[in-house]
Amino acid sequence: MLVLPDQLSLEIGPVAAADPCSTEVWLVESGEWLSRRPYHRQRLAWILLSQRAFAIEAAEKGFEVRVLRGDLPMVELLTRAIERCGSHEPLLAMEPAERETRAELAPLVQAGLLQLAPHAGFMTNDADLEHARTAEGWRMDRFYQAVRRRTGILMERGKPVGGKFSFDAENRKRWDGTPAAPTPPTFPASLLREEVVSEIETRFASHPGTLDVSTIPMSRAEIDRMWQWAKRQCLTNFGPYEDAMSRRSRGIFHTRLSPLMNLHRLLPSRVIEEVASLDLPLQSKEGFIRQILGWREFVYRVHRATDGFRSVPEVLGSESGRPLARPGDGGYSRWAGAPWKPRHEPPPGVDGGARPNRLGADLPVPAAWWGAPSGLACLDHVVGDVWEEGWSHHITRLMVLSNIATLLAVSPRELCDWFWAAYIDSWDWVVEPNVLGMSTYGYAGMTTKPYVSGSAYIEKMGDSCSSCAFTPGKDCPIGELYWAFLARNERALCDNPRMKLVLASMRGREGSRREADSARFVRVRDVLIHGQPLGSRDQGLFQTRGGGSR
């Protein structure tokens, strides 16, 4: 029986029903898979520690455990092991959630050597997604409401608890340091942690990012401790401050549970069930459940339904309809000055992903996303957090990293690959819908409008502006980037009813100001793409006209 890296639980799938005394569990640690992209060292540590902790748990349960370890691709390691085994029975596994892994393992399935059962870690089904379909595409709110009705979660007598399905409008408070944000737990040193650190620092030494395994819950007791911390310290205040950003706290009241749930070390079904029963303010309870039962499940279902956006009409038949031939590195090679070199060539069936690009954005990811100073305090702070921990919460991902990239016309595919490399909770079903769909509007079938803003939103919800060389509403270039974005993309957005007011405001700007917006966009783009920070020269340039920080 094979247990893949995104399903490390003895409570779900075929392994949950197997007899430990007569079942051998296989795990795969493929150097090619782990180095296919320049993944953050912390992401590698999460995967390796979680797999090895799971192996210990399975052995303690009575399973015989075999770990297939080597630099070859996962499919080749499995093929060789199956051939050595000599059994005529197919190897049984739960289907991987990740489309890329399904494509890699497809030859084994087609040859009858591997039999896949449905992934049991998700709480929804394809029929739920049909409720979300509209003439324009899929909509998360419709999906979420349908799932709530079907499951009865936060429902009473067929009606949503509190009288409405979403309390999102009430969850937009700025955080000024009160109430105090909790400190995430850390975990003691162990031989297993030392082993993984040593391996990453030698075998995967070229990977970027800071490595700190003390922050990774590994054993069942540590995972439970992390979950108890989240329930007791985070969830009461999660709702009102879920959109807040701060230099003083990386996560504020966010629980940091996404890597555990995506590996299925902590089951999402358990999280939802326990949160629904807690005595919490409704806006926090509903807001947290919506992130998991709503958005997390929605992006997974959309990604499956579109075959990773390969089958949607706006991609098929376009120049960008063909996936990239090879996995991308998110701009690593330009930043590092040398090409990324995986430990082995990727196997057949593994490509660089679909390339929806509704707005025709093609700028490479600037070096600022890899840690080169940009001169924008909000961007530099979040990027620093990411390369230190491999994580930041969803608003910094959406309204700082993705927003500024979209305003600069960064390629959706390359930005997606950057997120895939940089974050500890990244898988293709996570990053592709969130980046190609929601945050860059590369694929318009998931959201009703582009998620872009000027500096006003960043100033309202965060506290980086006070430490920046630029001032919102005066000389901050993000405002001009916003107006220039609207002008460049007016034709593509003019039929969108949610964009009519802002496009009208853009058209109302004097011609000289619109020309200045465009010139400033070009200046900022060119400075950042050359790896330079915006500085005093740029301050003077932007200050001449002022305004424009919508």
Side-chain angles (χ1 to χ4, degrees):
M1 181 173 297
L2 171 65
V3 177
L4 292 162
D6 66 356
Q7 46 198 242
L8 301 175
S9 172
L10 292 170
E11 301 176 42
I12 57 173
V15 72
D19 177 8
C21 297
S22 60
T23 305
E24 186 176 71
V25 168
W26 289 11
L27 298 167
V28 186
E29 291 184 7
S30 161
E32 183 278 324
W33 184 75
L34 290 166
S35 66
R36 192 172 288 169
R37 296 171 180 83
Y39 296 121
H40 199 300
R41 291 182 177 198
Q42 196 74 352
R43 183 179 191 268
L44 300 185
W46 267 92
I47 292 170
L48 291 173
L49 279 173
S50 298
Q51 281 194 285
R52 293 176 189 184
F54 173 82
I56 293 171
E57 293 164 12
E60 290 175 345
K61 188 80 170 177
F63 291 99
E64 184 176 347
V65 178
R66 181 189 300 194
V67 179
L68 311 179
R69 185 176 294 141
D71 284 342
L72 292 173
M74 187 183 303
V75 66
E76 293 190 41
L77 291 173
L78 283 167
T79 299
R80 294 185 180 193
I82 291 170
E83 290 172 350
R84 288 194 299 268
C85 184
S87 172
H88 296 293
E89 294 294 322
L91 186 64
L92 182 62
M94 191 158 62
E95 182 183 66
E98 187 160 64
R99 190 258 179 213
E100 186 170 89
T101 305
R102 294 198 299 273
E104 177 177 355
L105 298 181
L108 292 179
V109 176
Q110 293 163 4
L113 300 175
L114 179 64
Q115 180 181 337
L116 296 178
H119 199 302
F122 293 85
M123 304 173 66
T124 59
N125 53 54
D126 294 340
D128 292 324
L129 187 61
E130 284 304 305
H131 291 287
R133 190 186 293 274
T134 71
E136 294 77 30
W138 289 287
R139 297 293 178 255
M140 195 282 284
D141 57 346
R142 293 167 61 103
F143 173 84
Y144 176 55
Q145 291 171 24
V147 174
R148 287 267 300 273
R149 289 189 179 100
R150 177 177 64 79
T151 61
I153 294 171
L154 293 186
M155 300 290 289
E156 289 181 345
R157 300 174 184 173
K159 302 290 185 181
V161 173
K164 54 185 178 181
F165 283 100
S166 173
F167 291 83
D168 187 48
E170 299 175 28
N171 289 353
R172 298 173 184 174
K173 290 184 68 174
R174 177 188 173 97
W175 184 69
D176 61 4
T178 304
T183 301
T186 56
F187 306 96
S190 68
L191 291 176
L192 185 50
R193 283 191 167 86
E194 292 175 9
E195 172 187 275
V196 167
V197 167
S198 177
E199 184 168 350
I200 291 174
E201 289 181 344
T202 54
R203 190 176 177 211
F204 300 102
S206 59
H207 285 252
T210 300
L211 180 62
D212 180 6
V213 295
S214 72
T215 64
I216 301 175
M218 182 179 65
S219 67
R220 299 310 314 168
E222 289 173 349
I223 292 168
D224 189 63
R225 181 183 161 206
M226 184 78 180
W227 176 216
Q228 297 305 321
W229 169 81
K231 288 191 289 187
R232 294 168 182 166
Q233 302 294 321
C234 299
L235 289 182
T236 296
N237 295 304
F238 171 79
Y241 302 104
E242 67 173 300
D243 285 3
M245 302 177 284
S246 179
R247 294 175 297 128
R248 289 171 288 183
S249 173
R250 192 170 295 158
I252 310 182
F253 298 105
H254 288 258
T255 63
R256 302 165 182 262
L257 297 177
S258 55
L260 283 172
M261 288 192 288
N262 291 353
L263 291 162
H264 291 88
R265 295 292 286 152
L266 178 64
L267 295 183
S269 57
R270 175 190 172 187
V271 172
I272 293 293
E273 180 181 356
E274 293 187 20
V275 170
S277 67
L278 291 176
D279 182 15
L280 294 172
L282 183 55
Q283 67 185 106
S284 288
K285 181 182 291 191
E286 185 280 319
F288 184 78
I289 286 176
R290 180 167 17 94
Q291 296 299 320
I292 302 170
L293 190 66
W295 190 252
R296 180 180 186 273
E297 294 277 344
F298 176 66
V299 299
Y300 172 67
R301 291 294 163 192
V302 169
H303 196 259
R304 283 194 62 91
T306 62
D307 192 27
F309 299 113
R310 288 163 170 80
S311 65
V312 293
E314 62 191 75
V315 172
L316 293 171
S318 68
E319 177 60 29
S320 60
R322 295 185 300 276
L324 287 179
R326 296 174 58 86
D329 67 5
Y332 171 90
S333 299
R334 290 188 305 277
W335 166 73
W340 175 250
K341 295 182 180 179
R343 299 186 70 85
H344 198 280
E345 286 296 305
V350 171
D351 56 37
R355 296 182 289 160
N357 195 356
R358 181 179 179 86
L359 302 180
D362 59 3
L363 187 75
V365 170
W369 274 252
W370 288 95
S374 72
L376 298 171
C378 57
L379 178 61
D380 292 342
H381 169 72
V382 175
V383 168
D385 285 349
V386 170
W387 290 115
E388 183 174 337
E389 188 178 345
W391 183 87
S392 69
H393 70 71
H394 71 279
I395 291 299
T396 56
R397 302 188 201 202
L398 178 63
M399 300 310 298
V400 176
L401 297 168
S402 294
N403 176 44
I404 296 174
T406 302
L407 296 180
L408 288 169
V410 169
S411 158
R413 181 70 250 175
E414 188 160 303
L415 183 66
C416 178
D417 292 333
W418 178 86
F419 272 95
W420 201 342
Y423 276 81
I424 57 177
D425 54 8
S426 63
W427 303 83
D428 61 9
W429 65 268
V430 178
V431 295
E432 290 185 340
N434 276 292
V435 180
L436 300 178
M438 184 179 191
S439 65
T440 66
Y441 207 59
Y443 167 63
M446 288 178 59
T447 60
T448 56
K449 69 178 183 65
Y451 276 81
V452 290
S453 78
S455 57
Y457 182 90
I458 295 172
E459 181 185 27
K460 175 185 176 183
M461 298 307 299
D463 55 18
S464 291
C465 296
S466 61
S467 63
C468 190
F470 299 100
T471 302
K474 184 179 180 183
D475 59 8
C476 176
I478 297 176
E480 280 71 21
L481 294 180
Y482 175 77
W483 293 116
F485 169 88
L486 294 177
R488 287 196 315 277
N489 296 293
E490 180 180 8
R491 180 174 296 179
L493 301 175
C494 63
D495 293 332
N496 187 321
R498 294 195 66 191
M499 298 299 294
K500 289 190 180 299
L501 287 178
V502 295
L503 288 174
S505 297
M506 180 274 297
R507 297 184 194 106
R509 289 170 71 79
E510 295 178 359
S512 59
R513 296 183 73 185
R514 292 176 63 177
E515 291 175 5
D517 293 338
S518 178
R520 290 162 188 165
F521 158 71
V522 171
R523 169 66 181 165
V524 172
R525 180 198 65 192
D526 290 351
V527 168
L528 294 181
I529 202 59
H530 285 95
Q532 301 300 312
L534 301 165
S536 57
R537 176 184 174 188
D538 306 290
Q539 276 183 280
L541 178 67
F542 297 128
Q543 197 168 2
T544 55
R545 295 297 196 286
S549 70
R550 185 172 183 83

